[in-house]
Amino acid sequence: MPDQPFSLDQLRIVLIGTSHPGNIGAVARAMKNMGLADLALVAPRCEVQTSESISRASGADALLVGSSLHESLDDAVADATLVVGASARSRTLPWPMISPRQLGAALPAELSRPEARVALVFGREDAGLTNAELQRCHRHVHIPTNTEFSSLNLAAAVQVLSYECRLAWLDAGDTAPARQTAMAKGTAPAGEAPFGEAPFGVEWDNPPASHADLERYFAHLERVLVAIGFHDPERPRQLMARLRRLYLRARPDSLEISILRGILTAIEKHTGRR
Ligand code: SAH
């Protein structure tokens, strides 16, 4: 394999509230076929290792054994620097949407730091992802299916997205020398740009904020907005969802998040509510 600018081990597949062991097994198989290994299960509604899941894994049962179990989405993606929610349906509050191919194209830049992690989040077989879960994601990815029959089987959706990631990974190995030259010259093609304005892969000065950093910031922001009387949790009017969308779209880095938190702390001191 030529020099790879990122590793498929930096990708995590997160399944929320899965109810069929067979689907978890089929996801493990799809992942192993594509060279992915990091499987995280959030509050599964079934046993993980059953005869059905092991049979559907068809030899990929090591991924079932090695999967991590989490009580919450936040816990499963705490260290992730990019969180992408896979959704079959559009939502009332539109979120920045990407195609599976755009997801692949962004990976070399998103994962250029070895500690960077991209999490792909999948929903329940019967009800998908909730709005609250999708609002914890930087981007939504939609597999362009038949609009009259848009929902894929869970493992089929994982297969399609893992395949795009693998293609991007193979392609990145082939084109690594050319890309390094193009980035050095500032002529990298648009498809190589990471999401948002922050070009984390291209000699950006600070690492991206992690999901946990961002969630601590959102919790702090909400406390301060309530304290200064700007936000009434009894009448939320999607304020926090809209603010989340703004910040997640902008992709703040870790230093920017510390500055924003410092501002909140200064407001708290100033208003004497600390
Ligand atoms: N009935 C659910 C869909 C469940 S399919 C609903 O109405 O939302 C299980 C999961 O597979 C979804 O939550 C989503 O993560 C993924 N998925 C299925 N079809 C998809 C598509 N066309 N694009 C992106 N993700 C999809």
Side-chain angles (χ1 to χ4, degrees), residues 112-183:
S112 62
R113 289 175 191 257
E115 67 278 14
R117 291 287 175 281
V118 170
L120 305 181
V121 184
F122 296 83
R124 300 154 190 82
E125 292 95 330
D126 50 349
L129 292 167
T130 64
N131 287 336
E133 287 157 355
L134 281 163
Q135 287 167 6
R136 296 178 121 68
C137 300
H138 291 95
R139 298 292 182 271
H140 292 174
V141 60
H142 175 72
I143 300 164
T145 38
N146 178 355
T147 45
E148 277 139 48
F149 195 64
S150 65
S151 162
L152 273 80
N153 162 267
L154 174 61
V158 171
Q159 182 78 77
V160 170
L161 293 187
S162 312
Y163 176 63
E164 286 293 338
C165 293
R166 184 172 182 82
L167 283 187
W169 176 75
L170 290 170
D171 194 42
D174 292 342
T175 57
R179 187 180 42 257
Q180 273 155 15
T181 315
M183 282 195 172

Side-chain angles (χ1 to χ4, degrees), residues 6-241:
F6 67 95
S7 159
L8 291 171
D9 291 341
Q10 292 172 273
L11 287 160
R12 182 174 308 147
I13 299 293
V14 181
L15 306 183
I16 302 189
T18 313
S19 52
H20 297 296
N23 278 336
I24 302 183
V27 164
R29 179 184 188 170
M31 288 175 63
K32 190 165 179 188
N33 282 146
M34 295 301 124
L36 274 62
D38 186 353
L39 173 61
L41 305 171
V42 178
R45 290 179 290 163
C46 62
E47 288 288 313
V48 176
Q49 290 184 60
T50 69
S51 56
E52 201 190 348
S53 69
I54 291 168
S55 137
R56 292 286 299 279
S58 294
D61 33 311
L63 268 73
L64 301 177
V65 179
S67 65
S68 56
L69 265 184
H70 306 268
E71 277 179 15
S72 68
L73 172 59
D74 286 341
D75 187 42
V77 301
D79 59 337
T81 41
L82 177 74
V83 182
V84 179
S87 179
R89 290 175 287 131
S90 57
R91 308 284 164 150
T92 38
L93 186 61
W95 219 253
M97 182 70 88
I98 54 168
S99 69
R101 205 134 296 175
Q102 287 171 313
L103 168 67
L107 294 181
E110 287 291 338
L111 294 175
S112 62
R113 289 175 191 257
E115 67 278 14
R117 291 287 175 281
V118 170
L120 305 181
V121 184
F122 296 83
R124 300 154 190 82
E125 292 95 330
D126 50 349
L129 292 167
T130 64
N131 287 336
E133 287 157 355
L134 281 163
Q135 287 167 6
R136 296 178 121 68
C137 300
H138 291 95
R139 298 292 182 271
H140 292 174
V141 60
H142 175 72
I143 300 164
T145 38
N146 178 355
T147 45
E148 277 139 48
F149 195 64
S150 65
S151 162
L152 273 80
N153 162 267
L154 174 61
V158 171
Q159 182 78 77
V160 170
L161 293 187
S162 312
Y163 176 63
E164 286 293 338
C165 293
R166 184 172 182 82
L167 283 187
W169 176 75
L170 290 170
D171 194 42
D174 292 342
T175 57
R179 187 180 42 257
Q180 273 155 15
T181 315
M183 282 195 172
K185 286 193 197 152
T187 56
E192 300 269 344
F195 305 126
E197 296 303 312
F200 292 127
V202 196
E203 293 174 21
W204 192 251
D205 51 351
N206 295 298
S210 68
H211 175 84
D213 293 336
L214 285 162
E215 288 305 318
R216 275 190 290 270
Y217 174 68
F218 292 136
H220 196 173
L221 178 64
E222 183 162 16
R223 280 200 307 278
V224 170
L225 294 180
V226 171
I228 63 174
F230 186 79
H231 173 44
D232 176 2
E234 300 295 312
R235 291 178 66 230
R237 287 181 301 188
Q238 293 202 310
L239 174 71
M240 290 315 296

